[in-house]
Each structure stands twice: as structure tokens, then as C-alpha cells.
């Protein structure tokens, strides 16, 4: 029973209280870059969930069965980024064949998932927090869900920001950042939220 | 050498954070004290110079198709070195920056400069580019840090000048909100707006000069 409680606590934490984008500041580039339209941001979110889950599983296994026995733990950063780059390449080829429409709309941002801090971040945090395999995968998936939640909420706000009347210097990017700040403010309401 | 022009680009007109809008994760996440900002800025500058030099040296050897993967491995190597050095000699900085040191690997600034500058230019020019872009990044971080630390905890230079820094605002005034994530978004938004405004003024003045000729 207690394993469910732990997993539930990890999920709740990853989605709301410690949201990857709005609280931990991981994955800001795609958050800002792909959030202009609701449907592309949803696609990006789904791709990130998928990659984060796979990356958590793969990097956990590589760390446990390869790096730790060979006492090469200091090579984590290099090895993890290689594993993630290979994974993203694989996902890209898969999408190109299976879902060409989504592949087209994600465009340049798919290869950029490799350099998404959230993906490398989740791999490193799993090891830092000493999660088991199951906990790591759950953390990866729910971290991705948190990312999707934030980017979808933000893109719906941003569609409205396009036409608003504001000082010229704030037009575009700065205004989007301020809106993101207000979104982060609302997510602060979830901090201090504890299951135990 | 047009070092002056490159420096001006790095600091203002083509600042990696404030104009190119790259590397924002670390810019917002760690800029809570001056100590963090300077430490992070210097680490990134050193990695940027090293990776620019190596990539520029290898630019004719690396096959075009796998260049991004090759760049990432080179960058990850330097990041690991800096990470281990910080852990050994500056454990306090390493603790407070946490996961953001290994995450320099995926900082878009470094990969961006590798792709757009070092892979097309000579070694010396690439080193200078790394230095000036690094200075621009550090400057943006330091400005963010000073603003957020002053408004958020009311001090200046905590960790640099003594453990608590110099107290400027009495401790009942600062708004804790500014050092929380919200403050990061708001401060960076205002700074980018300011940069856009200054750049537009500069461009207008130059256009005027051209017209007067």
C-alpha cells in the first residue's frame, strides 16, 4: 500500500507543487518557443511526456547496471546526454513514419528536445533523489504531465496576448514572460501541499 | 580586430540572454544572490571559450551529419571538468547551483554559438566570440542578481562580501516574492523590455545619422 502513497506523492509533487517549468525552471526554451498555438503546444507536451518517461527508464538502467558497477558515476552527464540524444533521434524517426502531421507541426523543436533541460534534468534528479526504477519512471511521466499542463495553460493565455494593447517595448516576448510569471504565482498556491 | 564591436554585440545588441533569448532556464533559476550569478557566469564563460576553440579547431574534421552530437559530447566533457573542479574547490557554490551545473550541457547559448559561429570561423575569432558572449551572459546574470537580491532579501553581494552581504533595506521591507520563481519571470520580462527599448533607440539614432549624411 505504501508504495502507492509514495508514487502518488511523487506525482502530485511533479505536476503541481514542484512543476518543472513554473517552479523548477527546467525547459523554459520550448515553453517560450512552442507556446504560440494551443495544438502545437499540446503536441510538444505529449512528445516531452514520452521522451521523459523513456529517458528516465533508460538513464536509470544505464546508471544502475553500467556506471555504478564500473565506478564511472562521474561520467553521468556525458553518458546521459548521449542516451537522450539517441532516444530523441529514435522518437523522431518513429513520428516521421507514424504521425507525419505531428512531425511537421513540431518542426525544429523535436531535435531540440535533446537540449531540453527538463529531460536531462529529470534524469539527473532521479539519481540525486535516489529513486527506484518505478519511482523514476513515474517521476518522468508526471514531470512531463506537469510540463504539458503548464505549456497548454500558457499557450491559451498567449493566444489572447497577441492582440492586447501594451507599451511597445513590452510587445511580444517580455509580455509573455510577465504572463508566465503570473502563472507561476498561481502555481505557488500548491506549494506547501503535502501528502504525508 | 573588431573586439570592440564584438563586445558591444555580446553586451547589448546581440546579448545572448536579453536579445537572443537563449539560456533562460539558468538565468531565472539561479539568480537569487550575487555569488551564484558570478559563479555561474564565469563557469559558462570558461566552458564557452573552451568549447568554441575546440569546435573551431575540429570544424573541418567533424562530418556535417553528426555535428550536433559531436558538439554536445565536446561540451559535456568540459561541463564535467568544471563540475568536478567546483565540487573539489568551491563546494559552497556547487551546492547552491545544484543541478544547474550539469545542465550547462543543454544551455542553448553554448550549442548556439558552436553552431552559428565556431563551426564557421577561425580559432582566434571563436575564442573572442566565446569571451564576449560569456561576458554578455555574465552581465545579464549579475544585473538580475543585483535586482532580485536587493528587492527580495534587501542585501547586496551575499556570499561575496561575507556570508550575509551588505544589508541595504531593513529586514522588514524586502518582498520574498522576488527571489521566488515568480520574481525570476517578472524581472527578466522587464529587463528584456528595457533592452528592446534601448536597442530601438540606438537603431533610430543610427538611422538619423545616416539620413543626415
Amino acid at each position: 500500500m505504501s508504495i502507492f502513497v509514495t508514487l502518488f506523492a511523487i506525482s502530485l509533487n511533479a505536476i503541481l507543487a514542484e512543476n518543472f517549468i513554473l517552479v523548477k525552471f527546467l525547459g523554459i526554451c520550448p515553453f517560450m518557443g512552442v507556446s504560440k498555438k494551443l495544438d502545437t503546444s499540446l503536441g510538444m507536451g505529449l512528445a516531452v511526456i514520452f521522451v521523459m518517461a523513456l529517458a528516465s527508464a533508460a538513464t536509470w538502467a544505464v546508471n544502475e547496471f553500467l556506471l555504478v558497477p564500473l565506478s564511472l558515476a562521474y561520467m553521468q552527464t556525458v553518458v546521459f546526454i548521449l542516451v537522450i540524444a539517441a532516444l530523441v533521434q529514435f522518437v523522431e524517426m518513429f513520428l516521421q513514419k507514424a504521425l507525419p502531421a505531428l512531425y511537421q507541426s513540431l518542426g525544429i523543436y523535436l531535435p531540440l528536445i535533446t537540449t531540453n533541460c527538463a529531460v536531462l534534468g529529470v534524469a539527473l534528479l532521479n539519481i540525486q533523489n535516489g529513486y527506484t526504477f518505478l519511482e523514476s519512471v513515474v517521476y518522468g511521466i508526471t514531470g512531463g504531465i506537469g510540463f504539458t499542463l503548464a505549456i497548454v495553460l500558457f499557450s491559451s493565455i498567449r493566444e489572447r496576448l497577441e492582440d492586447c494593447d501594451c507599451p511597445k517595448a513590452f510587445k511580444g516576448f517580455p509580455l509573455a514572460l510577465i504572463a508566465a510569471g503570473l502563472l507561476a504565482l498561481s502555481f505557488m498556491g500548491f506549494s506547501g501541499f503535502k501528502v504525508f | 580586430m573588431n573586439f570592440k564591436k564584438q563586445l558591444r554585440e555580446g553586451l547589448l545588441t546581440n546579448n545572448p540572454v536579453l536579445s537572443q533569448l537563449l539560456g533562460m532556464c539558468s538565468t531565472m533559476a539561479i539568480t537569487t544572490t550575487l555569488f551564484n550569478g558570478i559563479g555561474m557566469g564565469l563557469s559558462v564563460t570558461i566552458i564557452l571559450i573552451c568549447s568554441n576553440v575546440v569546435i573551431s579547431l575540429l570544424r573541418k574534421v567533424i562530418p556535417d551529419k553528426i555535428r550536433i552530437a559531436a558538439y554536445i559530447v565536446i561540451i559535456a566533457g568540459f561541463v564535467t571538468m568544471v563540475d568536478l573542479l567546483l565540487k573539489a574547490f568551491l563546494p559552497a557554490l556547487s551546492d547552491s547551483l545544484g543541478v544547474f551545473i550539469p545542465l550547462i550541457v543543454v544551455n542553448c547559448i553554448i550549442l548556439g554559438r558552436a553552431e552559428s559561429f565556431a563551426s564557421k570561423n577561425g580559432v582566434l575569432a571563436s575564442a573572442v566570440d566565446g569571451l564576449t558572449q560569456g561576458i554578455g551572459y555574465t552581465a545579464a546574470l549579475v544585473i538580475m542578481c543585483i535586482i532580485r537580491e536587493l528587492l527580495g532579501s534587501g542585501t547586496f553581494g551575499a556570499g561575496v562580501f561575507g556570508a550575509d552581504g551588505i544589508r541595504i533595506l531593513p529586514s522588514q521591507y524586502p518582498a520574498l516574492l522576488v527571489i521566488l520563481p515568480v520574481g525570476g519571470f517578472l524581472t527578466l520580462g522587464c529587463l528584456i523590455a528595457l533592452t528592446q527599448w534601448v536597442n530601438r533607440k540606438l537603431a533610430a539614432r543610427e538611422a538619423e545619422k545616416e539620413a543626415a549624411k
Side-chain angles (χ1 to χ4, degrees):
Chain A
M1 201 51 209
S2 70
I3 186 157
F4 288 110
V5 177
T6 323
L7 292 183
F8 183 66
I10 290 177
S11 319
L12 215 56
N13 227 7
I15 299 176
L16 297 174
E18 301 228 319
N19 186 289
F20 265 70
I21 295 178
L22 297 170
V23 181
K24 282 195 151 90
F25 287 122
L26 296 171
I28 300 284
C29 299
F31 178 65
M32 287 295 170
V34 204
S35 61
K36 281 198 180 120
K37 275 202 182 132
L38 192 58
D39 41 347
T40 34
S41 65
L42 192 60
M44 181 73 182
L46 295 179
V48 168
I49 296 180
F50 190 53
V51 173
M52 273 172 79
L54 283 180
S56 299
T59 52
W60 190 90
V62 166
N63 186 58
E64 187 72 13
F65 300 120
L66 207 64
L67 296 183
V68 173
L70 296 175
S71 56
L72 281 173
Y74 63 90
M75 290 291 280
Q76 263 170 10
T77 317
V78 182
V79 174
F80 284 6
I81 193 75
L82 279 177
V83 170
I84 291 169
L87 262 179
V88 171
Q89 195 74 50
F90 169 75
V91 171
E92 197 181 343
M93 289 190 309
F94 174 77
L95 278 185
Q96 205 171 4
K97 282 264 187 259
L99 297 163
L102 184 61
Y103 178 78
Q104 284 292 326
S105 65
L106 288 181
I108 185 174
Y109 284 97
L110 203 58
L112 280 186
I113 292 185
T114 313
T115 55
N116 183 338
C117 327
V119 180
L120 185 60
V122 82
L124 292 167
L125 288 174
N126 280 334
I127 307 299
Q128 245 178 39
N129 295 345
Y131 284 159
T132 62
F133 181 74
L134 192 60
E135 284 169 350
S136 303
V137 175
V138 169
Y139 192 53
I141 295 174
T142 49
I145 294 175
F147 178 92
T148 311
L149 177 69
I151 199 171
V152 166
L153 282 176
F154 185 56
S155 66
S156 2
I157 298 175
R158 211 167 161 186
E159 278 182 351
R160 297 189 164 210
L161 282 184
E162 286 300 311
D163 312 316
C164 77
D165 194 22
C166 68
K168 224 173 164 187
F170 274 94
K171 201 98 201 155
F173 207 85
L175 195 65
L177 270 176
I178 303 234
L182 297 180
L183 195 58
L185 188 64
S186 68
F187 266 71
M188 264 177 61
F190 295 115
S191 63
F193 209 53
K194 280 218 173 94
V195 181
F196 300 110
Chain B
M1 255 332 262
N2 47 5
F3 178 75
K4 225 171 153 184
K5 185 175 153 260
Q6 272 184 316
L7 186 64
R8 186 183 138 109
E9 275 186 3
L11 276 176
L12 196 64
T13 52
N14 201 16
N15 185 293
V17 180
L18 301 174
S19 297
Q20 298 174 52
L21 313 173
L22 295 176
M24 285 174 300
C25 300
S26 54
T27 311
M28 291 192 270
I30 54 98
T31 51
T32 47
T33 62
L34 192 60
F35 183 58
N36 277 356
I38 293 177
M40 187 74 180
L42 288 183
S43 311
V44 169
T45 308
I46 291 166
I47 294 168
L48 192 53
I49 296 173
C50 296
S51 71
N52 260 6
V53 167
V54 171
I55 288 167
S56 168
L57 280 173
L58 295 176
R59 69 185 188 280
K60 296 201 174 98
V61 187
I62 298 174
D64 205 40
K65 273 194 175 158
I66 57 153
R67 66 182 194 287
I68 301 286
Y71 297 162
I72 288 182
V73 174
I74 293 169
I75 295 167
F78 285 117
V79 170
T80 306
M81 283 181 217
V82 168
D83 188 18
L84 295 176
L85 284 174
L86 285 183
K87 267 187 193 139
F89 295 107
L90 280 170
L93 185 65
S94 177
D95 282 345
S96 76
L97 294 178
V99 77
F100 283 95
I101 291 282
L103 282 182
I104 296 176
V105 180
V106 287
N107 190 320
C108 323
I109 297 173
I110 301 180
L111 198 60
R113 290 328 282 180
E115 172 76 5
S116 71
F117 198 92
S119 61
K120 298 188 188 88
N121 289 284
V123 178
L124 191 64
S126 300
V128 172
D129 180 70
L131 180 67
T132 51
Q133 291 286 320
I135 292 174
Y137 175 73
T138 312
L141 283 190
V142 166
I143 296 170
M144 287 275 289
C145 287
I146 291 175
I147 297 174
R148 289 179 73 187
E149 201 188 329
L150 177 65
L151 296 179
S153 34
T155 55
F156 174 73
V160 182
F161 310 109
D164 293 327
I166 302 161
R167 178 153 292 286
I168 294 176
L169 292 177
S171 56
Q172 68 266 38
Y173 292 123
L176 185 65
L177 202 67
V178 184
I179 11 183
L180 293 176
V182 190
F185 282 110
L186 297 184
T187 318
L188 188 60
C190 295
L191 270 183
I192 291 176
L194 184 69
T195 319
Q196 286 190 355
W197 183 76
V198 170
N199 279 341
R200 194 175 307 126
K201 287 270 148 155
L202 285 178
R205 196 188 295 163
E206 248 153 54
E208 228 167 67
K209 249 188 222 163
E210 287 293 314
K213 273 179 198 167

